[in-house]
Amino acid sequence: MGSTGLMPAPRKYPDELRERAVREVQNSGRPVAHVARDLGIHKEALRLWVRQAEADHGSRPDLLTSAERAALVQLRKEAAELRRARAMLRTCGSASGGVLRGMRRAYLPE
C-alpha cells in the first residue's frame, strides 16, 4: 500500500499471456488486432504491450524502458516526500518566531 492508502489495480491479464501475445505479434507479422482477437485481449492493451516490449529491447528509443519508468516513479515519490518535509520545516520555522531563519537560507532553497 502506498502513502495514499490506495492499492494498484490488479492486472487483468496474466504475465504469461502478455508475453505470449507480444511474441505472437513480433514473430508472426500479423496485425495486432488479429492476434488480440484470437487471444481474447483488447487490441489497445496488446498494442501498448508491444510498444513497451520494443522499448525494453531498445528498438524504440523514443519510449522509456520499464526500468526507466520504474526509476521515474521512484524519483517522483522521493521528490514529493522532500516537498512535504520542506513544507513542514518552513511551517516549523515560521511557528518558532524565526529561530530557524538562518537555517532556512542555508538548507532550504527557494
Side-chain angles (χ1 to χ4, degrees), residues 3 69-87:
S3 61
R69 192 173 301 278
L72 181 59
V73 167
Q74 183 60 34
L75 288 172
R76 285 181 174 162
K77 286 180 182 178
E78 290 173 11
E81 180 61 30
L82 289 171
R83 280 192 295 274
R84 284 190 293 274
R86 181 175 177 221

Side-chain angles (χ1 to χ4, degrees), residues 16-74:
E16 297 81 21
L17 178 60
R18 289 172 180 245
E19 293 167 6
R20 176 179 168 217
V22 169
R23 269 195 319 271
E24 179 72 22
V25 169
Q26 292 173 336
N27 295 336
S28 70
R30 295 175 55 211
V32 170
H34 293 178
V35 174
R37 185 183 60 236
D38 291 348
L39 296 175
I41 300 169
H42 193 277
K43 65 182 178 181
E44 286 303 306
L46 180 53
R47 184 185 64 79
L48 291 175
W49 299 343
V50 170
R51 284 173 46 106
Q52 189 61 54
E54 290 169 351
D56 290 344
H57 290 104
S59 59
R60 290 292 302 261
D62 58 319
L63 299 175
L64 295 176
T65 66
S66 295
E68 291 168 335
R69 192 173 301 278
L72 181 59
V73 167
Q74 183 60 34

Side-chain angles (χ1 to χ4, degrees), residues 89-105:
L89 286 172
R90 285 179 179 266
T91 302
C92 292
S94 64
S96 67
V99 172
L100 299 177
R101 191 175 313 273
M103 288 179 61
R104 186 178 303 134
R105 281 194 203 100

